[in-house]
Amino acid sequence: MKNQPEISGRSIGRAELVEIVEASRQPAVRKRDMLSAVSRVLKMGGVWAGDFVFTAASVRALIASIKPAAHGLSAKSFSNIQSNLRAALREAGIIDAAGGYLTKADSDWGPLMAAAEEDKSYLALSRFAGYCARHSVCPDTVDDSTVLDFHGWLVARTLEPRPDAVVRKIPKLWNRAAANLPGWPATRLNEVQIGLEPRKTSWSELPEMLRREAEAYLELRADPDPFDETPDRPTRPLAPATLRLHKEHIRLAFDVLQEGQIQVKSLADLVTPDNVKAILRHYLGEAPARPNAFATSIAKTLIAVAKYQVRVSFDELARLKKLAARLPAVPFDLTAKNKSLVQALHDERKLASLVALPETLFAEAKRLHAAGKPCHPCAHVALAIALLLIAPMRSQNLIALNWRTHVREFSGPRGALQLLIPASETKTGRQDHSFELDGRTSEMLRWNRKVLLPASGADPDGDVFALPGGKRRGQSSLANGIASAIEKHVGIKMTAHQFRHLAADRYLEKRPEDFETVRQLLGHAYGKTTQIYAGRSGERASRAYAEIVMAKAEALKREPKGKMRRRRPKKSDEI
């Protein structure tokens, strides 16, 4: 018998929630802890002063916005607060209990899950089984609609932070259990696409003529012939990262037109003025008056394709440029996200937490290694953050660091190390880029070489970020580890690339006029690129001037009072 599940959510205000908890039969201490958790979560989420409405969805979003480290809380302490908050919400009927006890007591689901418990990979099914037992759904009656109902319940009646991801696992695990576990129903479930982006066209799926012409364009821009006498030919090669961006722009432009049912077979079709207009409208979206850096970037790529590969007429090219000129101007400045990050790190406590983080993680990695446990994820993140703090390089250079190629011991086996990135590996390709490391980071690098790499079975003179077995760690994997560690321990969202913005901002705070040193530090080819940090020059200059004034005021306070008085003129001074 399959009951219709109740997945409608309840919503109540703060005062009503407090009243329900106080009127409950819970012990006084338990009530205190529950109400305290409600208050703390509201305060940490910045909604204490407002009239917050409690629903499963609103509380889920509120919890996701809170960074425990930003409030001086450990992950364990915040977990305890959430546990008490869930108890209060269950008391008020806003969320349901997990229901694990129902699964074990159920005559149909109990034996099945007992068999599945021997393999931990089936753990995700226990939540689904608990839902089914709660709503009297027998194993033999489970179908695709049951999975969708389960998703609705997770969203409306639980605080599960990733309901989409949980539900997408169910069909795969269910089908594996049906094939491998005795007594499991033979029903097969179909994959669920909840929360996934629509599938995009891959490069290999592009129309053959379009793909061939696009590859010819990329080849031309990668290595232009210096003796080509064709008018308006490209004169300098594009960096590999820029070529990858142009390739992605072409693919995305095709996808936009295909979604709009516009026939595109060649690059000439792609860059007609009407099609370019449709592509730009798509990326401007519902805010056509708002500056959009991506729309501006893809417009530049399409104009370059029209000019160098399609070779449109002068009038057509002028029309395309006119379309691009109508896009809202993108300020030559840091984005709002980067400004917010830099401003957050003006809090000296947060900056101190970030600077101290490598040592914290490094100590944990050493502890894990001494206990015979895998420590390379923790050690890699510790070393990466330490390196980025002192050597704000690009992520592709960080992950590619190699002892033979990039590390130098100019100061002897115990002195500070130096990183040397050849010009051929830099984004600009113009000159070598070097960083002298501090003692702490040098020590971490040496431990990596002497202890971690040999223990992982990797070459001690090979890749710095090597996984067990010697394979280099993926760039996105390391970047995710860095971001997760910073969010957990410092309480801010920060990417590996944003260390470059932090370095520029902190240096210019002390020397507001010295943009050339920042350009050299970040490896910019042109001084104009570094000017994105000029937006706060007025603030920096003002603070520098204020420091001078205050220093002078303090100096005058320390002078003896007698020196401050003006001498009365003597009669002999009079003429």
Side-chain angles (χ1 to χ4, degrees):
M1 179 68 179
K2 179 177 176 180
N3 295 338
Q4 181 64 30
E6 175 58 50
I7 60 172
S8 59
R10 185 183 182 193
S11 61
I12 60 175
R14 183 173 61 207
E16 186 179 354
L17 175 62
V18 171
E19 185 179 338
I20 291 172
V21 172
E22 288 179 340
S24 69
R25 296 182 178 180
Q26 298 289 341
V29 173
R30 181 64 168 156
K31 291 180 186 179
R32 181 201 65 192
D33 291 343
M34 290 158 66
L35 293 176
S36 173
V38 170
S39 299
R40 293 197 70 179
V41 168
L42 290 177
K43 287 180 180 179
M44 288 188 288
V47 295
W48 175 252
D51 187 16
F52 186 78
V53 177
F54 286 85
T55 66
S58 67
V59 176
R60 184 187 301 114
L62 184 65
I63 290 173
S65 71
I66 296 172
K67 310 297 181 291
H71 302 277
L73 290 174
S74 67
K76 183 177 180 181
S77 296
F78 189 53
S79 177
N80 290 339
I81 291 173
Q82 289 184 77
S83 177
N84 288 323
L85 173 65
R86 284 193 295 271
L89 297 178
R90 285 195 297 270
E91 197 69 44
I94 295 172
I95 64 173
D96 293 332
Y101 65 95
L102 293 173
T103 309
K104 292 181 180 179
D106 189 269
S107 58
D108 293 320
W109 286 102
L112 289 180
M113 293 312 300
E117 283 178 358
E118 297 179 6
D119 186 342
K120 292 184 178 180
S121 65
Y122 291 112
L123 281 177
L125 281 175
S126 62
R127 191 80 175 273
F128 180 64
Y131 162 82
C132 291
R134 173 186 294 278
H135 296 98
S136 303
V137 180
C138 299
D140 291 332
T141 63
V142 168
D143 56 21
D144 292 341
S145 66
T146 312
V147 179
L148 296 178
D149 289 342
F150 174 57
H151 177 262
W153 176 77
L154 284 177
V155 171
R157 302 291 301 172
T158 76
L159 298 184
E160 168 57 50
R162 298 193 302 163
D164 295 350
V166 169
V167 171
R168 287 198 299 269
K169 290 180 182 178
I170 299 303
K172 182 178 179 180
L173 291 175
W174 178 278
N175 294 340
R176 181 145 59 87
N180 299 322
L181 297 180
W184 202 274
T187 310
R188 292 296 191 270
L189 300 179
N190 294 312
E191 289 187 14
V192 179
Q193 298 299 317
I194 292 174
L196 295 177
E197 290 290 326
R199 184 179 177 277
K200 301 296 183 181
T201 307
S202 67
W203 185 259
S204 61
E205 292 173 331
L206 293 176
E208 186 178 354
M209 182 185 297
L210 173 64
R211 189 177 69 251
R212 284 203 316 266
E213 291 175 346
E215 289 169 352
Y217 164 75
L218 295 171
E219 186 178 345
L220 172 67
R221 300 308 307 275
D223 188 22
D225 182 359
F227 301 107
D228 185 358
E229 298 181 5
T230 307
D232 293 330
R233 62 177 177 81
T235 56
R236 64 183 183 87
L238 297 181
T242 307
L243 289 169
R244 288 194 295 271
L245 184 63
H246 280 217
K247 183 177 181 179
E248 182 65 1
H249 283 167
I250 292 170
R251 189 189 67 79
L252 290 172
F254 174 82
D255 254 343
V256 169
L257 297 177
Q258 187 180 50
E259 287 176 13
Q261 297 183 344
I262 298 174
Q263 188 82 0
V264 176
K265 294 183 178 180
S266 66
L267 282 183
D269 296 334
L270 195 71
V271 298
T272 63
D274 287 344
N275 285 349
V276 169
K277 195 186 299 184
I279 293 163
L280 298 183
R281 276 192 175 132
H282 172 84
Y283 284 109
L284 286 176
E286 298 178 359
R290 187 182 302 167
N292 186 315
F294 186 81
T296 300
S297 177
I298 200 169
K300 290 179 179 178
T301 297
L302 295 175
I303 289 171
V305 169
K307 179 179 180 179
Y308 295 124
Q309 184 65 31
V310 180
R311 298 195 177 277
V312 299
S313 67
F314 178 83
D315 290 341
E316 268 195 291
L317 187 63
R319 188 179 172 192
L320 291 176
K321 289 181 178 180
K322 204 169 184 179
L323 286 175
R326 292 178 184 174
L327 292 170
V330 178
F332 194 68
D333 197 357
L334 287 175
T335 64
K337 181 181 73 173
N338 290 331
K339 282 183 179 178
S340 176
L341 181 277
V342 166
Q343 193 63 41
L345 287 172
H346 279 203
D347 182 336
E348 295 296 330
R349 292 172 300 178
K350 282 190 173 65
L351 183 62
S353 296
L354 179 64
V355 173
L357 182 54
E359 289 179 326
T360 302
L361 298 175
F362 189 52
E364 175 64 11
K366 283 188 169 181
R367 186 190 67 78
L368 291 171
H369 177 73
K373 299 178 180 178
C375 67
H376 62 275
C378 189
H380 284 175
V381 172
L383 179 57
I385 294 175
L387 285 167
L388 290 170
L389 283 168
I390 198 71
M393 68 193 85
R394 292 182 172 86
S395 295
Q396 58 266 35
N397 295 127
L398 174 70
I399 197 64
L401 287 177
N402 183 284
W403 272 94
R404 290 189 189 87
T405 310
H406 305 109
V407 186
R408 301 288 183 269
E409 287 185 311
F410 291 133
S411 302
R414 294 186 179 180
L417 297 171
Q418 187 182 64
L419 297 182
L420 180 64
I421 300 173
S424 60
E425 296 181 21
T426 64
K427 182 179 179 181
T428 62
R430 290 172 172 247
Q431 62 183 30
D432 295 346
H433 204 185
S434 63
F435 301 97
E436 187 157 335
L437 305 181
D438 62 324
R440 176 187 73 168
T441 311
S442 298
E443 179 190 348
M444 290 184 186
L445 258 176
R446 287 195 170 98
W447 188 84
N448 168 275
R449 183 187 196 183
K450 294 179 181 178
V451 179
L452 185 60
L453 291 177
S456 300
D459 181 2
D461 293 321
D463 291 327
V464 170
F465 296 102
L467 296 170
K471 183 180 178 181
R472 181 191 295 174
R473 185 170 182 172
Q475 183 175 322
S476 60
S477 169
L478 183 61
N480 290 338
I482 293 170
S484 297
I486 294 173
E487 185 171 357
K488 177 181 177 181
H489 294 277
V490 185
I492 58 175
K493 284 184 176 292
M494 184 176 186
T495 65
H497 185 79
Q498 287 176 318
F499 278 88
R500 293 169 62 78
H501 302 318
L502 172 65
D505 181 76
R506 299 309 295 183
Y507 182 83
L508 290 171
E509 280 293 318
K510 298 298 182 184
R511 297 174 177 80
E513 76 292 342
D514 190 6
F515 279 81
E516 175 57 23
T517 299
V518 176
R519 185 187 75 80
Q520 295 282 354
L521 176 67
L522 300 183
H524 290 160
Y526 305 103
K528 181 182 177 182
T529 308
T530 313
Q531 289 299 312
I532 62 171
Y533 303 107
R536 298 184 60 251
S537 291
E539 294 177 38
R540 298 187 192 108
S542 175
R543 278 194 291 272
Y545 176 69
E547 287 178 8
I548 293 172
V549 171
M550 295 305 296
K552 183 63 177 175
E554 289 297 320
L556 290 173
K557 284 181 183 178
R558 290 193 294 269
E559 286 190 12
K561 290 186 178 180
K563 291 185 179 181
M564 297 286 291
R565 294 174 185 161
R566 293 182 61 188
R567 183 174 66 84
R568 293 180 181 178
K570 298 179 180 179
K571 289 185 178 181
S572 57
D573 293 337
E574 298 177 0
I575 299 176

